[in-house]
Amino acid sequence: MADSAELGEFLKSRRSGLRPEVVGLPDYGSRRRVPGLRREELAQLAGVSAAYYTRLEQGQSVHASVQVLEALADALRLTEDERAHLRHLADSGGSRRRTPAPRPQFARPGLRQLLAGLGDTPAILMDRRSDVLGWNRMGWALVASHLPERAPERPTERPNLQRMLFLDSHTRELYARWDEEAQRAVANLRLAAGRFSGDPKLAELVGELVINSPEFESLWSRHPVRNCTSGRKLLHHPVVGALELDFETLTTAEDEGQRLLVYTAAEGTPAAEGLALLAHSVHTAAPEAAFSRIAD
């Protein structure tokens, strides 16, 4: 994920997706040889020279000024998440977090207490790569009961939610709308890759998924960018069946990219009844045998 190449590819992806008529330019139909805007057209809209913009898109320059970045963002009609991603790629203001030799992260004692204190509310603590740093028993039972419950405690065995989504058959079957979940996951990972571009483990994860998952490769090539912090997920749990759950993703105070993913269901809904049934199964079964049949 070379900085200049990533910046250029992102700009190109957004330029090719912007129709001329949307920005008030004439569309010459079959005479137009490229999808979206030409480089010269975008440069004109942003108020920069065509030669300078071409250097940015071809990866020959990466340190654009804040003013240029804002002008390009306006011309491309970027969302707030896309604007933040553009700034990270261009390293504007020194906001990028570089970690040339990152050490394994661990859940702080306070966060472990928080996970335990959430009780029957499923919760998962992740790092910026979506490695699981910890989960409460309900979080484990909801999304990963075919894996060892204590796996997050061992850095070399930690589950990764991105890897599970694309490469683990149990996880794929869990999501009733897998395509929707995959799009959301890749858009979040793109943001993390721009913000923490100096993290080699993050780059390795992206490379692994590109090589081993055609679906991931296809989505990644589109450069989706969205900070998906809340919404709804439709699950088909192997023990309690269909669950329509709301989720919230909370960022921890330390700026290391750690996030707490929490699942809830409105009182009186079938999903709330399903979570209650799952909690009963968790509390009444021995840890080793609680969901052993899932992995069979």
Side-chain angles (χ1 to χ4, degrees):
M1 294 186 293
D3 299 341
S4 58
E6 282 294 304
L7 174 63
E9 287 298 318
F10 179 66
L11 289 171
K12 183 178 180 180
S13 72
R14 293 305 181 268
R15 175 176 63 83
S16 63
L18 192 59
R19 299 299 305 169
E21 60 270 20
V22 173
V23 295
L25 295 176
D27 182 1
Y28 298 106
S30 60
R31 294 171 55 190
R32 181 171 289 274
R33 294 179 297 175
V34 298
L37 299 182
R38 299 184 179 94
R39 289 173 179 165
E40 296 79 5
E41 292 171 332
L42 179 58
Q44 181 181 5
L45 288 172
V48 300
S49 72
Y52 177 67
Y53 175 76
T54 298
R55 289 198 300 272
L56 283 176
E57 193 171 290
Q58 290 182 341
Q60 299 173 12
S61 178
V62 66
H63 295 290
S65 68
V66 174
Q67 292 79 9
V68 168
L69 293 175
E70 289 302 315
L72 288 172
D74 289 340
L76 290 168
R77 304 196 172 189
L78 301 185
T79 66
E80 287 304 313
D81 290 338
E82 290 170 333
R83 286 171 182 265
H85 186 60
L86 178 65
R87 290 192 295 270
H88 289 141
L89 291 178
D91 205 16
S92 175
S95 59
R96 179 177 298 156
R97 299 293 183 267
R98 297 190 180 277
T99 54
R103 294 176 296 178
Q105 296 186 33
F106 294 90
R108 290 187 286 105
L111 290 173
R112 290 185 179 278
Q113 292 178 26
L114 176 59
L115 284 171
L118 288 172
D120 292 343
T121 299
I124 302 170
L125 179 67
M126 305 170 288
D127 67 8
R128 57 173 164 260
R129 297 183 290 269
S130 296
D131 284 347
V132 177
L133 303 181
W135 45 30
N136 60 10
R137 192 122 195 259
M138 279 291 286
W140 164 75
L142 181 66
V143 304
S145 54
H146 60 294
L147 301 177
E149 184 178 356
R150 300 188 65 178
E153 300 174 14
R154 299 180 287 272
T156 59
E157 300 178 25
R158 280 177 179 162
N160 178 279
L161 296 188
Q162 294 273 0
R163 186 180 290 111
M164 290 168 60
L165 181 64
F166 287 95
L167 303 181
D168 180 79
S169 60
H170 292 284
T171 303
R172 182 181 286 263
E173 294 173 358
L174 178 66
Y175 292 97
R177 296 179 180 174
W178 184 88
D179 291 345
E180 179 181 297
E181 185 66 19
Q183 293 171 15
R184 182 159 47 201
V186 173
N188 266 324
L189 189 59
R190 266 288 179 189
L191 272 178
R195 183 182 174 198
F196 301 104
S197 65
D199 186 339
K201 292 295 185 182
L202 183 55
E204 289 175 12
L205 173 65
V206 171
E208 176 189 354
L209 293 176
V210 166
I211 291 172
N212 293 297
S213 171
E215 295 101 333
F216 180 89
E217 181 185 21
S218 176
L219 290 170
W220 187 257
S221 67
R222 302 173 195 171
H223 291 258
V225 175
R226 187 159 59 96
N227 190 17
C228 307
T229 59
S230 62
R232 182 162 294 180
K233 301 189 182 190
L234 274 64
L235 310 182
H236 186 76
H237 195 273
V239 172
V240 299
L243 294 171
E244 186 173 355
L245 301 177
D246 297 312
F247 74 91
E248 294 286 341
T249 307
L250 311 176
T251 303
T252 61
E254 289 79 5
D255 194 14
E256 297 180 339
Q258 292 189 11
R259 297 158 293 150
L260 183 67
L261 173 61
V262 181
Y263 292 91
T264 60
E267 186 177 355
T269 62
E273 296 175 1
L275 286 183
L277 178 59
L278 183 62
H280 177 75
S281 299
V282 165
H283 296 318
T284 57
E288 299 81 5
F291 301 95
S292 60
R293 64 181 179 276
I294 298 176
D296 292 341

